[in-house]
Amino acid sequence: MQQTTPADPAITVEHIHQLVHQFYARVRRDPMLAPVFNGHIHDWDAHLQKLVDFWAWLVLRQNDFTGEPMPKHARLPGLTWRHFEQWLKLFEETTSELDLQALKAVVDPMAQRIAVRLWEHYRSQERPDTQIWQTDIPPDLAVYKSSPVFTHDKLPAALRNTHSTKSGVWGVVRMLSGSLVFTLDEDPPRTILLEAGMQLLVQPQTPHHVEFVSEGSFQIDFCSRDPE
């Protein structure tokens, strides 16, 4: 993983140590994440030190880090985007609790990028199901209206929670910038990562919700069948 953010002199190794230890104390108490981490990490002291080294390398450019987080996460069974979403939620709660604005400004965007890359890598190990996701608009559908442009900082709660279009109405999610996770609220849920330039056709009355994972924007075109 390349480092693109220069070290901030206001951030110290002690800050990194606080962040890692407080964050993973929260993770180990979390009902969703604790079984995943506690089931695969048998020496927490060594693991926490490795994580401190990783973040010190990433943020402060101190030492070299030789771990390989991508393959290790890809081998964990049963992960969904909800796990990564919860990981991010707890991370940002921890950086807010520390009240170190210089640290938060640097590491929150890093954590978002890490989560997206890990999720992309994890998904790439799965067998793709081309029957689930449809990107092309069938020729018998016509756009009859478009939504406003939704941005990461102005995403309505209605779209973050389970919702669906009406009978006979298709939606086309068009990503303009950034990245978004689209979740089909089935049992089990199915997710896809949408990035700038991608689009996704949503079938009528299909329960789903969306959540940004990086700054960005998208728009929805609403379609119905062309009357003959």
Side-chain angles (χ1 to χ4, degrees):
M1 185 179 300
Q2 294 181 346
Q3 302 170 71
T4 57
T5 304
D8 188 319
I11 303 172
T12 68
V13 174
E14 180 56 34
H15 295 152
I16 299 295
H17 186 277
Q18 283 181 271
L19 168 64
V20 167
H21 281 257
Q22 290 187 33
F23 170 53
Y24 281 96
R26 189 177 251 122
V27 165
R28 294 170 74 180
R29 295 191 301 267
D30 185 76
M32 180 185 293
L33 299 183
V36 177
F37 282 84
N38 291 329
H40 292 85
I41 297 170
H42 306 294
D43 185 344
W44 268 102
D45 289 341
H47 190 68
L48 288 171
Q49 185 56 55
K50 182 171 287 189
L51 289 166
V52 170
D53 292 343
F54 169 74
W55 281 99
W57 168 75
L58 195 63
V59 177
L60 303 177
R61 300 185 177 180
Q62 292 191 1
N63 305 321
D64 291 325
F65 184 81
T66 57
E68 297 182 348
M70 294 291 185
K72 290 180 180 178
H73 284 79
R75 289 194 293 267
L76 296 178
L79 296 185
T80 69
W81 172 247
R82 286 296 191 194
H83 290 92
F84 292 87
E85 196 173 46
Q86 182 69 0
W87 185 90
L88 279 174
K89 177 176 178 288
L90 297 183
F91 190 92
E92 292 174 3
E93 286 178 1
T94 306
T95 57
S96 297
E97 181 182 86
L98 288 172
D99 197 25
L100 297 167
Q101 290 306 309
L103 178 67
K104 183 175 180 63
V106 171
V107 298
D108 278 4
M110 285 180 171
Q112 290 173 354
R113 291 193 293 272
I114 289 168
V116 170
R117 289 173 185 172
L118 287 173
W119 175 242
E120 286 177 330
H121 187 79
Y122 186 80
R123 289 277 296 171
S124 72
Q125 309 305 305
E126 298 178 339
R127 180 181 299 175
D129 189 339
T130 56
Q131 302 303 312
I132 299 174
W133 310 112
Q134 187 173 352
T135 58
D136 296 329
I137 304 175
D140 62 339
L141 293 185
V143 176
Y144 67 88
K145 73 173 182 178
S146 298
S147 74
V149 173
F150 299 110
T151 60
H152 62 280
D153 54 346
K154 294 182 179 179
L155 181 63
L159 299 185
R160 295 197 302 270
N161 297 316
T162 300
H163 64 284
S164 64
T165 58
K166 298 178 181 178
S167 176
V169 177
W170 285 256
V172 180
V173 180
R174 294 189 294 106
M175 287 301 297
L176 305 177
S177 63
S179 55
L180 183 86
V181 169
F182 179 98
T183 300
L184 287 177
D185 292 311
E186 301 176 340
D187 186 17
R190 299 179 183 272
T191 59
I192 185 172
L193 181 68
L194 300 178
E195 298 182 290
M198 296 175 66
Q199 70 177 28
L200 181 68
L201 181 69
V202 185
Q203 300 291 328
Q205 298 181 293
T206 301
H208 63 278
H209 71 275
V210 300
E211 190 68 43
F212 277 103
V213 292
S214 67
E215 294 184 2
S217 60
F218 71 96
Q219 192 169 25
I220 305 169
D221 292 334
F222 295 97
C223 308
S224 60
R225 293 203 184 279
D226 242 347
E228 296 184 358

